[in-house]
Amino acid sequence: MASRNSSHQLILVVVALALVAGLFVLPKGIVKPKEGKSEMSQQAARTANRDNGAAAPSTASVDGSAAPAGATAEQPHMSMTAEQRKEISTLLAKYSAERDPMAKLRVASDLAAKYRAVERFDSAGYYYEQLAVARPGEQTWKRAADSYFEAFSFAATEERQKMLAAKTRELYEKVLKNNPENLDAKTNLGMAYMASDNPVQGVTLLREVLVADPRNENALYNLGLLSIQSNQNDKAVERFKELTKVNPENINGQFYLGVSLAKTGAKEEARAAFQKAKSLSSDPALVASVDEQLAQLK
């Protein structure tokens, strides 16, 4: 599982690097979107279940576009098997037909779990949000927010990223209203602000997390990535060194320590960090990424 998660996170970074405005955009500045929060949040909710769960390729999705059978440009990470689409289609029909509120919530829970299993995170978030509306609380809102955050992280177009970031912010704000000390929610909210018209607020939130918990791995990691993005490579080295001191087995921390060290010209230290990352996992995606970076150091 650790190996899968490491490559999963690296893939998220690679996908987002292609965007103009991004969660983990490295060489480019942050583009400030013009759309209002409410409009984008509503659109995110409307298109969360855009492939209609298990619609055939010729069937229109919720937002009116053709529903693909497999992965698309907006969903490059995973496609459904025929059996998975059938299961979800059955549940969607049951959800639409169900009139008993409690029974409908149970179906919503099943749908969220099924969508999450096939990495349709925005669709999972939509149904988790229905559960949170019925039973509001810190954990129910966070479950919905976490799913939208994952969808946001996977977004492969700028428009979709902005849209999902707005929905993510909306839900994490509900989490923090229930518990202002939820540092995971605050960290992810901070990253979602990086695709808003107020990215400074995102940095502020991340720094607040480190004030509360100087050893917080997620905050150190994300601030390190943002330092690379803004070409503050010395600062990035500082963040990733601290992260790998907190947890020497943090694969992504070691990898990006290598990236930031290479950018400062510290090739031998960078090589050691890359080799350390490589030693922590045999995952092919990670190995390929490390080998590519090592080749650039020669």
Side-chain angles (χ1 to χ4, degrees):
M1 181 62 72
S3 173
R4 182 184 183 279
N5 287 342
S6 66
S7 63
H8 168 84
Q9 291 177 357
L10 287 172
I11 289 169
L12 296 190
V13 176
V14 171
V15 169
L17 287 179
L19 301 177
V20 176
L23 182 59
F24 299 139
V25 179
L26 300 188
K28 301 173 183 171
I30 297 167
V31 176
K32 298 180 180 180
K34 303 296 184 183
E35 294 90 337
K37 171 184 173 182
S38 176
E39 178 183 346
M40 287 191 294
S41 297
Q42 291 171 7
Q43 189 178 5
R46 285 199 303 270
T47 63
N49 199 25
R50 65 196 173 285
D51 67 346
N52 215 22
S58 60
T59 304
S61 68
V62 171
D63 64 353
S65 59
T72 68
E74 291 187 347
Q75 291 183 325
H77 41 290
M78 188 172 182
S79 58
M80 295 186 198
T81 66
E83 182 61 30
Q84 288 167 331
R85 294 185 73 83
K86 181 179 178 181
E87 290 175 351
I88 289 177
S89 180
T90 299
L91 285 171
L92 283 169
K94 186 175 180 181
Y95 182 82
S96 297
E98 186 59 67
R99 293 295 174 261
D100 178 77
M102 296 303 295
K104 197 175 186 75
L105 289 176
R106 287 193 292 270
V107 180
S109 180
D110 290 341
L111 274 167
K114 291 292 184 182
Y115 273 122
R116 187 164 185 80
V118 296
E119 297 183 2
R120 294 294 200 269
F121 296 117
D122 53 343
S123 294
Y126 174 84
Y127 289 103
Y128 280 136
E129 185 180 4
Q130 307 316 302
L131 296 171
V133 169
R135 299 170 182 171
E138 176 188 355
Q139 294 307 315
T140 53
W141 286 121
K142 187 173 184 298
R143 188 167 54 178
D146 286 348
S147 289
Y148 272 109
F149 182 77
E150 289 188 82
F152 164 51
S153 300
F154 268 121
T157 66
E158 180 184 351
E159 179 184 8
R160 184 160 171 72
Q161 187 184 60
K162 292 177 184 177
M163 177 178 66
L164 290 167
K167 189 66 182 178
T168 297
R169 292 192 299 273
E170 174 193 329
L171 295 175
Y172 277 128
E173 283 164 2
K174 293 180 185 294
V175 176
L176 292 172
K177 185 176 181 180
N178 280 268
N179 178 12
E181 305 305 317
N182 190 316
L183 298 185
D184 284 342
K186 184 175 281 191
T187 298
N188 289 351
L189 176 61
M191 290 309 293
Y193 263 108
M194 303 314 296
S196 75
D197 59 356
N198 189 14
V200 174
Q201 177 63 15
V203 176
T204 298
L205 287 167
L206 291 171
R207 288 175 175 167
E208 286 178 4
V209 171
L210 283 187
V211 169
D213 176 14
R215 295 170 58 84
N216 188 284
E217 292 186 45
N218 285 337
L220 286 167
Y221 176 68
N222 287 315
L223 282 169
L225 287 174
L226 292 172
S227 294
I228 295 177
Q229 179 270 324
S230 58
N231 292 318
Q232 299 179 68
N233 296 312
D234 289 336
K235 189 67 174 178
V237 169
E238 178 184 330
R239 297 294 190 192
F240 288 120
K241 279 188 173 180
E242 182 61 28
L243 172 56
T244 55
K245 186 186 301 181
V246 171
N247 180 6
E249 296 191 355
N250 187 304
I251 299 172
N252 293 304
Q254 294 287 356
F255 181 87
Y256 282 102
L257 175 58
V259 170
S260 54
L261 284 166
K263 286 178 175 290
T264 65
K267 292 187 177 182
E268 289 307 312
E269 288 184 79
R271 186 173 287 107
F274 285 132
Q275 293 290 5
K276 176 65 174 178
K278 193 173 181 179
S279 73
L280 293 172
S281 172
S282 59
D283 183 271
L286 174 68
V287 171
S289 296
V290 170
D291 286 345
E292 182 179 349
Q293 293 295 326
L294 288 170
Q296 293 176 17
L297 292 176
K298 294 179 181 179

